[in-house]
Amino acid sequence: MKRFVIPFLAIALLAVSCGPSRHAMNVEMRYPSKSGLDLSGKILAVVYLENDNTSSNLFNQGMADGFAYALERDYGTGEGSIGVYKMRSQEGAKYASRDSLINLLVDTGSDVVFLFDTLQLGTMTIGGASKVASAASVDSSYLNVGDVQFSMALYAFDAMDQTEKVHTFTGTSTANPYAYSNGTLSSSELFKRAQAGMLDEGWQAGRQVAMSFESEWRHEQYSLTYFENEKWYRALDRAEAYDWKGAMDLWMTFLSTNDLLRRSCAAYNIATACYMLGEYDLALEWLDLSDKDNKLPYSDGLRKRITERRAL
């Protein structure tokens, strides 16, 4: 019997070396924002209302611009990719209604529209003058800080949301516009300068509002399978570079084999790539094919992730 021990061990070792290996890949995954809206990959538009109040209009304009700027940066769509539009407020109009927002979707050609309602402003007060330590000019040697409370309302509608729900977000805070002077201006002149500063105050407020709509990122680990040869290594390199389509092209070439384990590994990797690309239904189809050939130990974990993302 001893003469059979060495060949058996050799075969066992060969089987291990020819089996699949697991590659752990760490990925930062994007999830919907705190607001509950998923804006990734969608065309966005921002509309703000104007009325007869100059301070309110300047603040709303700045808020819409700052809001759009923050979302462009977060979703990487590029400067100017989010259209910003102004609209005159009409008395008695119901801007928070589903029909009004659908009309704005059509007018702007967007998937998701945000509407900043007219601002509710309190009475602005101007604080006393403070000497500026290093003024750029005589006209800016003194600083007065304004103080005005505001209440804002933002409505959002997502054309791809099957619930057709109008999302409403409200908030109250205080704006503090600056007024630089030479220290001799009248209160009415100081008010005009502080009023002009409402544009910048609105821009800063818009960036703050946008934080609720920016993506949430989570650090997650995913498994890919591979065999010890150059083609499988190349596919892993493409996946590590987030070239999921390029990796899929290589994994597709591994499917034309009668080796059920290799076919299963390739199909599993393709399912992972589809998941990364947001093709959740397709990912499940490939995972089903993988399980049919040879269910891998990490299949259930991937299936759970796909199912959860489809439900978001």
Side-chain angles (χ1 to χ4, degrees):
M1 294 293 291
K2 289 183 179 180
R3 61 182 176 146
F4 293 103
V5 172
I6 294 176
F8 176 78
L9 286 175
I11 293 171
L13 290 172
L14 182 62
V16 171
S17 64
C18 291
S21 298
R22 171 182 175 269
H23 174 72
M25 186 172 176
N26 296 308
V27 183
E28 291 290 324
M29 296 295 293
R30 185 195 296 269
Y31 281 83
S33 64
K34 295 176 183 177
S35 69
L37 292 172
D38 186 0
L39 306 180
S40 182
K42 297 176 182 177
I43 301 172
L44 311 181
V46 180
V47 183
Y48 66 95
L49 297 180
E50 287 190 333
N51 56 16
D52 294 325
N53 187 309
T54 301
S55 294
S56 173
N57 294 341
L58 286 171
F59 193 94
N60 246 12
Q61 177 187 342
M63 190 155 55
D65 287 338
F67 181 83
Y69 171 82
L71 293 186
E72 286 170 350
R73 293 194 64 179
D74 181 67
Y75 290 95
T77 55
E79 185 176 353
S81 60
I82 298 177
V84 179
Y85 308 85
K86 67 179 178 180
M87 186 168 66
R88 183 72 182 178
S89 177
Q90 301 295 325
E91 187 175 352
K94 297 179 179 179
Y95 293 107
S97 71
R98 172 182 170 276
D99 290 343
S100 293
L101 292 171
I102 287 177
N103 287 336
L104 289 178
L105 278 173
V106 175
D107 291 342
T108 59
S110 58
D111 299 320
V112 183
V113 64
F114 295 94
L115 174 64
F116 284 96
D117 206 341
T118 50
L119 203 67
Q120 302 299 311
L121 277 179
T123 302
M124 184 186 295
T125 60
I126 306 293
S130 300
K131 182 74 173 177
V132 177
S134 54
S137 66
V138 175
D139 194 45
S140 61
S141 56
Y142 287 88
L143 172 68
N144 295 77
V145 180
D147 186 281
V148 56
Q149 190 177 66
F150 67 88
S151 296
M152 54 78 63
L154 173 64
Y155 315 122
F157 189 84
D158 184 351
M160 299 182 184
D161 182 359
Q162 295 182 352
T163 66
E164 297 189 339
K165 177 183 177 182
V166 175
H167 300 265
T168 302
F169 308 90
T170 59
T172 300
S173 189
T174 301
N176 299 112
Y178 294 161
Y180 288 96
S181 71
N182 59 9
T184 64
L185 294 183
S186 65
S187 58
S188 61
E189 287 297 324
L190 287 173
F191 177 82
K192 288 180 181 179
R193 293 197 177 188
Q195 186 182 62
M198 290 294 282
L199 183 67
D200 185 60
E201 287 293 294
W203 197 84
Q204 297 295 341
R207 293 196 65 182
Q208 287 293 116
V209 174
M211 291 177 65
S212 295
F213 300 89
E214 293 175 353
S215 307
E216 288 199 338
W217 294 91
R218 302 178 192 172
H219 180 81
E220 296 178 348
Q221 188 175 88
Y222 290 82
S223 296
L224 293 173
T225 61
Y226 68 98
F227 289 83
E228 303 290 341
N229 70 54
E230 184 181 349
K231 288 185 178 180
W232 285 87
Y233 294 152
R234 286 208 307 269
L236 281 184
D237 286 341
R238 292 186 182 182
E240 281 287 354
Y242 300 107
D243 178 12
W244 292 106
K245 290 183 179 180
M248 282 175 63
D249 289 342
L250 288 176
W251 288 323
M252 287 284 188
T253 65
F254 304 147
L255 296 171
S256 56
T257 176
N258 292 325
D259 187 325
L260 296 184
L261 181 57
R262 286 176 179 262
R263 205 162 65 193
S264 172
C265 290
Y268 170 86
N269 288 350
I270 294 171
T272 303
C274 290
Y275 172 79
M276 294 295 177
L277 294 171
E279 300 286 347
Y280 304 127
D281 290 337
L282 195 57
L284 285 176
E285 290 180 20
W286 280 105
L287 193 56
D288 288 341
L289 290 174
S290 174
D291 288 352
K292 183 179 178 182
D293 283 338
N294 190 317
K295 187 172 181 178
L296 301 176
Y298 12 84
S299 172
D300 288 341
L302 179 60
R303 186 176 297 278
K304 183 174 183 291
R305 280 174 161 166
I306 297 171
T307 303
E308 289 175 349
R309 286 303 288 255
R310 287 177 75 207
L312 291 178

